[in-house]
Amino acid sequence: MESTRRFGKYRVEREVLDEQRLEEVTQRKTHSDTHPSLTERLKDSLRCTVPKLKRSVMSSLPVLYWLPKYSVWDYGMPDLISGISVGIMHLPQGMAYALLASLPPVFGLYSSLYPALIYFFFGTSRHISIGTFTVLSIMVGSVTERLAPDVAFLKNNGTNFTAEVDITARDSYRVQVAAATTVLGGLIQVVLGLVKFGFVGTYLSEPLVRAYTTAAAGHAVVAQLKNILGISPTRFSGPLSLVYTLKDVCSLLPQTHLPTLVVSAVSMVFLIAAKELNSFLSSKLPVPIPVELITIVAATLISNYAYLNSNYTVSVVGEIPSGLSPPSVPDVSIFGEVIGDAFALAIVGYAISISLGKTFALKHGYKVDSNQELVALGLSNAVGGFFQCYSVCCSMSRSLIQETTGGKTQMAGVASAVIVLVTILKLGALFQELPKAVLAVIVFVNLKGMFKQYSDIVTLWRRSKFDLVVWLVTWVSTLLLNLDLGLAASISFALLTVIFRTQLPTYSVLGNVPGTELYVDIETHREVREIPGVTIFRSSATVYYANAELYLEALKEKSGLDISKMIIYKRRQEAKQKRRERRAERRAKRQAKREVKSQRAAKQLIDGNDKEDQGWTERENGTVFVIPTSPRATDGHCRWEYLKGGDPDCTSLGWMSELQDGDTTTLGSSSEDTLSRDLERVSLGSLGKWTWDIHSIILDLSTANFIDTVAIKTMKNIFQDFSEIDVDIYMAGCQASVVEQLELGDFFSESITKRRLFASVHDAVLYCLNHRGAASFPRYEPSEWVFFVSTHFLRVSSATFLKWETIVD
């Protein structure tokens, strides 16, 4: 339809597009056109063509895509330098983080070798460094110590009859537990990647991940206190294990081993000073100084020549086997006990890897496939588990080194793996005298970046209180409930905050920006004007079962129409009118009899009755109505005196003036005419209780991306309820998917057609102004005054000899 409307100082001339007209103009495709059937999709997925096969192979093995294009001249030297730098970092970090996992240090080196080689073939990120990571090491350590505690491997000492831990048997079983957990976690990642479940990482928001890693750093510090102080606290597992462990450490402080503490203090001072110097000279150095490698080499030499282990009983790494261990099948019987931990490891490892991978991809202009990354990380863990590796992901510190030293492709990961391989084969035995305290200090110092994340509290306080609450809840739950339960509680709470925010969105009434087709909130913008007679209502969130009732309540509040009370009042009045009509029929019959009696009485009076001054009385249902001798009171209103009952000696006098009541009939009118006229015009306005100046309400659904059956039912009720008070409801800005869901939910009917849906709010406004105008408001005056006496309607017939005159101000 063509619309010509003056909108402020602008004249609008264009066609108003409702949903039905829009479908005709744009020729919208049907649901079957846009959504192929299950059979068609199955046939398409099973159809094999050469291009499709090539794409499938390339996506599954990304190395086949980029390796043939690899330029040795352009990328060879940068990848080599980057790989050597990262490989040097792998050595100390691999051995140190193995202590966090409660495993012998050599298994940290294994975890830095095999997964990196697997990722080379299947990974899509060019800059992340796969290997050991602090958080995952702590999580694996909680599993190994829970299933293989020290108390389960005690053996009697034949000399003094004291029990001591069988370290060999304990470590062997812990390696089996770690390998089984890693394989199961890797299989979970592979399955999730194959079913395109890569989006699962998006449920771990940045505040959640940062708070989780910050709390994990606290676990790491407490776990390394025994190596730094040289004490042997009891290791607890489960909720509040951190508190119990820390309490036990504090109780053992008087037993601190001073030589170990001195080694820890010297190593920490040297490492911190070297790292600060490294940061200061980073802009002037082509590659960073390998301070961690220098630290462990120096500590090994000092320990070896000073005989720290034999002379001062400083705990050292011990025997490191040379060569690679053969692959072995993990103990499947352990899977049932570690499935929850394996799932947590799979999700956390993937979330950290994909977030860092996407950061580098965005910086360097390439794409990272989230599903393929999940498969690549899963294969790295699953295959690595057969070689006694434990769960791995990318490390932030090593990835930054790989990127800043010029790494270009995954070839840098191969170069770093070669460095680790050489160390395992030839150099491993040289680190047997390395003090464990030095490795613990390396872990402690490397946590500095995570400790800096406490500044997020101040930042989030200024930016988002919701994110701050998520951060704090994640931090507290991870510290108190341990890493696995803490992660589950954190994700659950984060999802609850999303639900809570959709349940309590911002509701607003929109006004027009003069001279435009834009509509904004009238409460937050001064230079906007409301459309006369039209209320435009918008919610900042989609409408669904959790907030549908709140949406309706907000609509009542913003429009100023308490529709529920208005409809209840109207229905009560209609019920009263029906009762009134039934009583009127009965009274009509009695009225005819009274008129006959009145005629007879008048005839008797004509024949000589001398009681002219006495009022006419009539008894009905035990009530006598008496017309007073003075027809008007001093206030100008007529009054009736009535006698309750028929005995003049025991009467009670009362006065009645005008009354306003909904259950009465106008005095002086015939019952039939009055009732029929009242029934014809029963409305809220005629009942005299409400007045309003709205004839149309437009629901802006542009923010809705879906609508469920509960919301559809709520929308139907809104249309039906507001129509009862002569207010039209329209919907605007619905997305195509929402319109399809409305169709599938049987929303449209003869009374609610697609003519009620408009492409935009402005189209709906133009239609309302053309259809109802700007001044067609339902304004009503209160109904006339009525009189009511003793549950009976008082009527005076024109056939009587009395003349009654009523004055109503």
Side-chain angles (χ1 to χ4, degrees):
M1 85 193 80
E2 292 293 333
S3 173
T4 301
R5 192 80 192 171
R6 182 167 294 280
F7 220 66
K9 62 180 181 178
Y10 296 91
R11 189 175 180 83
V12 181
E13 295 185 2
R14 70 173 180 84
E15 183 178 9
V16 177
L17 294 176
D18 55 41
E19 184 63 29
Q20 184 171 334
R21 178 57 181 160
L22 182 63
E23 292 178 2
E24 295 173 357
V25 173
T26 59
Q27 297 181 358
R28 183 167 71 91
K29 296 179 181 180
T30 62
H31 185 270
S32 59
D33 294 333
T34 57
H35 297 78
S37 64
L38 180 61
T39 305
E40 293 175 349
R41 283 182 288 176
L42 186 59
K43 288 181 179 179
D44 183 66
S45 62
L46 296 178
R47 188 178 295 113
C48 182
T49 61
V50 175
K52 185 176 181 181
L53 179 62
K54 183 179 178 181
R55 287 196 303 270
S56 178
V57 173
M58 290 292 186
S59 62
S60 300
L61 280 171
V63 67
L64 299 179
Y65 173 76
W66 63 266
L67 189 58
K69 303 178 182 178
Y70 187 81
S71 175
V72 177
W73 297 105
D74 295 333
Y75 302 148
M77 187 56 65
D79 283 342
L80 181 61
I81 296 174
S82 176
I84 293 174
S85 302
V86 173
I88 292 173
M89 292 186 66
H90 267 301
L91 301 179
Q93 288 188 2
M95 291 188 289
Y97 293 159
L99 295 182
L100 287 177
S102 299
L103 299 174
V106 69
F107 292 96
L109 297 179
Y110 292 158
S111 301
S112 301
L113 171 62
Y114 295 106
L117 295 176
I118 300 299
Y119 187 83
F120 168 79
F121 293 98
F122 298 96
T124 59
S125 176
R126 304 173 189 173
H127 294 91
I128 64 174
S129 173
I130 297 296
T132 55
F133 183 58
T134 311
V135 176
L136 297 191
S137 300
I138 301 170
M139 296 175 72
V140 172
S142 66
V143 179
T144 56
E145 294 199 0
R146 186 182 78 241
L147 298 183
D150 290 342
V151 294
F153 297 92
L154 295 177
K155 63 179 181 179
N156 292 326
N157 191 329
T159 57
N160 53 9
F161 301 100
T162 58
E164 62 180 17
V165 178
D166 188 349
I167 297 178
T168 303
R170 182 201 64 184
D171 290 347
S172 177
Y173 188 67
R174 285 182 177 180
V175 169
Q176 294 182 37
V177 172
T181 306
T182 301
V183 170
L184 183 57
L187 292 177
I188 291 173
Q189 290 174 326
V190 171
V191 172
L192 292 178
L194 292 177
V195 297
K196 309 299 181 183
F197 210 65
F199 66 89
V200 69
T202 60
Y203 290 102
L204 301 180
S205 64
E206 183 181 359
L208 188 149
V209 173
R210 291 176 68 88
Y212 185 79
T213 54
T214 303
H219 282 275
V221 170
V222 174
Q224 293 307 305
L225 286 177
K226 63 179 182 180
N227 293 318
I228 293 176
L229 301 176
I231 57 179
S232 299
T234 304
R235 186 70 182 267
F236 300 89
S237 61
L240 299 179
S241 61
L242 182 71
V243 178
Y244 297 140
T245 303
L246 192 59
K247 179 182 178 182
D248 196 29
V249 168
C250 293
S251 65
L252 294 175
L253 284 179
Q255 304 176 21
T256 300
H257 190 244
L258 292 180
T260 302
L261 181 60
V262 171
V263 172
S264 301
V266 172
S267 301
M268 188 175 298
V269 171
F270 173 78
L271 198 56
I272 292 175
K275 278 184 171 289
E276 292 298 324
L277 180 63
N278 205 2
S279 300
F280 179 75
L281 299 176
S282 59
S283 59
K284 302 178 181 179
L285 298 174
V287 293
I289 302 172
V291 292
E292 294 170 340
L293 182 61
I294 294 174
T295 302
I296 64 172
V297 169
T300 302
L301 292 174
I302 294 173
S303 174
N304 185 47
Y305 289 103
Y307 302 102
L308 295 181
N309 178 247
S310 58
N311 293 340
Y312 303 99
T313 63
V314 174
S315 179
V316 295
V317 170
E319 182 182 359
I320 297 179
S322 299
L324 301 175
S325 60
S328 61
V329 179
D331 189 354
V332 182
S333 62
I334 303 177
F335 283 1
E337 300 179 75
V338 299
I339 185 170
D341 303 280
F343 187 81
L345 285 165
I347 299 302
V348 173
Y350 169 69
I352 294 172
S353 298
I354 194 63
S355 60
L356 200 58
K358 286 187 175 181
T359 301
F360 289 129
L362 182 63
K363 180 178 180 180
H364 294 276
Y366 62 92
K367 183 180 179 181
V368 171
D369 186 345
S370 58
N371 292 312
Q372 182 59 30
E373 281 295 296
L374 196 51
V375 172
L377 197 60
L379 290 174
S380 298
N381 282 310
V383 175
F386 285 91
F387 293 91
Q388 290 80 48
C389 301
Y390 67 88
S391 294
V392 297
C393 68
C394 76
S395 167
M396 288 181 279
S397 59
R398 291 195 308 271
S399 298
L400 288 173
I401 293 299
Q402 182 168 323
E403 190 258 346
T404 55
T405 54
K408 301 296 183 182
T409 66
Q410 293 91 321
M411 195 66 74
V414 175
S416 65
V418 171
I419 300 297
V420 177
L421 177 62
V422 172
T423 303
I424 294 174
L425 295 178
K426 301 296 181 182
L427 304 178
L430 299 178
F431 295 103
Q432 292 182 2
E433 294 298 321
L434 173 65
K436 289 185 179 180
V438 176
L439 294 178
V441 168
I442 291 175
V443 172
F444 187 85
V445 174
N446 283 337
L447 294 174
K448 182 183 70 172
M450 293 185 183
F451 290 139
K452 287 183 178 180
Q453 293 178 158
Y454 282 105
S455 62
D456 291 351
I457 297 176
V458 178
T459 303
L460 293 177
W461 173 263
R462 295 195 302 263
R463 295 180 180 177
S464 174
K465 301 297 189 298
F466 274 105
D467 287 340
L468 175 61
V469 173
V470 170
W471 198 100
L472 293 175
V473 170
T474 302
W475 182 78
V476 172
S477 60
T478 305
L479 283 178
L480 299 182
L481 301 180
N482 219 338
L483 295 172
D484 49 357
L485 295 178
L487 177 64
S490 304
I491 295 176
S492 301
F493 182 79
L495 294 178
L496 283 177
T497 60
V498 175
I499 296 174
F500 180 75
R501 279 186 274 190
T502 58
Q503 277 190 299
L504 297 176
T506 302
Y507 298 105
S508 55
V509 175
L510 307 184
N512 177 253
V513 179
T516 70
E517 296 184 4
L518 301 177
Y519 294 84
V520 294
D521 189 354
I522 60 176
E523 294 182 359
T524 58
H525 299 79
R526 295 189 182 91
E527 298 300 324
V528 297
R529 65 181 186 87
E530 295 186 65
I531 308 302
V534 179
T535 295
I536 306 169
F537 180 74
R538 182 175 67 188
S539 168
S540 61
T542 189
V543 186
Y544 68 113
Y545 71 92
N547 63 5
E549 188 67 27
L550 299 175
Y551 183 87
L552 177 59
E553 295 299 325
L555 177 60
K556 295 176 185 178
E557 179 183 352
K558 292 293 184 179
S559 64
L561 303 177
D562 194 341
I563 187 68
S564 301
K565 292 183 178 180
M566 297 166 79
I567 292 177
I568 291 173
Y569 183 79
K570 177 182 176 181
R571 289 173 179 170
R572 286 179 179 175
Q573 298 306 315
E574 290 175 344
K576 289 182 181 180
Q577 291 285 23
K578 292 179 181 178
R579 293 195 300 268
R580 202 177 305 156
E581 185 179 25
R582 289 194 297 267
R583 289 196 296 267
E585 293 177 356
R586 294 193 297 267
R587 283 195 295 269
K589 296 179 181 180
R590 292 195 296 268
Q591 180 68 19
K593 296 180 180 180
R594 285 196 295 268
E595 288 183 356
V596 172
K597 293 180 181 180
S598 299
Q599 291 175 0
R600 291 176 182 176
K603 186 176 182 181
Q604 293 176 1
L605 290 175
I606 292 173
D607 291 340
N609 195 341
D610 57 349
K611 296 181 180 181
E612 295 181 356
D613 296 331
Q614 180 178 353
W616 171 72
T617 64
E618 180 180 354
R619 181 185 302 272
E620 181 181 356
N621 294 338
T623 302
V624 178
F625 298 94
V626 181
I627 301 178
T629 55
S630 58
R632 295 186 183 178
T634 58
D635 56 1
H637 296 85
C638 62
R639 296 186 177 181
W640 286 71
E641 180 180 348
Y642 66 93
L643 302 176
K644 192 78 171 178
D647 188 358
D649 297 331
C650 58
T651 60
S652 59
L653 297 178
W655 296 94
M656 177 201 169
S657 62
E658 60 188 21
L659 296 173
Q660 179 183 0
D661 190 280
D663 194 18
T664 60
T665 306
T666 305
L667 183 68
S669 61
S670 65
S671 52
E672 291 82 359
D673 293 343
T674 301
L675 287 171
S676 62
R677 185 167 60 252
D678 287 345
L679 286 173
E680 288 176 358
R681 61 173 186 155
V682 169
S683 66
L684 287 166
S686 64
L687 295 172
K689 196 170 182 67
W690 285 281
T691 59
W692 61 94
D693 57 359
I694 299 173
H695 60 69
S696 302
I697 294 178
I698 299 172
L699 305 179
D700 182 6
L701 298 180
S702 57
T703 58
N705 57 352
F706 73 94
I707 187 168
D708 59 9
T709 55
V710 176
I712 291 175
K713 185 177 181 181
T714 301
M715 291 297 173
K716 280 185 178 181
N717 293 336
I718 291 174
F719 274 80
Q720 294 170 0
D721 293 346
F722 278 89
S723 65
E724 294 195 29
I725 61 171
D726 199 28
V727 174
D728 295 333
I729 302 295
Y730 302 95
M731 300 165 71
C734 294
Q735 301 181 30
S737 59
V738 174
V739 176
E740 288 183 3
Q741 291 165 1
L742 291 173
E743 293 173 342
L744 295 174
D746 295 328
F747 175 77
F748 299 106
S749 60
E750 294 182 359
S751 59
I752 306 176
T753 66
K754 287 188 177 181
R755 294 288 184 185
R756 297 290 189 99
L757 271 68
F758 291 88
S760 67
V761 172
H762 191 64
D763 286 292
V765 169
L766 293 179
Y767 178 84
C768 293
L769 296 180
N770 288 328
H771 182 62
R772 297 289 295 265
S776 58
F777 310 140
R779 299 183 182 276
Y780 302 97
E781 297 298 332
S783 56
E784 62 265 51
W785 299 108
V786 292
F787 295 92
F788 181 72
V789 180
S790 185
T791 72
H792 293 279
F793 290 98
L794 184 63
R795 303 181 186 281
V796 180
S797 173
S798 59
T800 61
F801 65 95
L802 298 171
K803 182 178 180 182
W804 177 252
E805 182 177 311
T806 304
I807 301 176
V808 180
D809 292 337

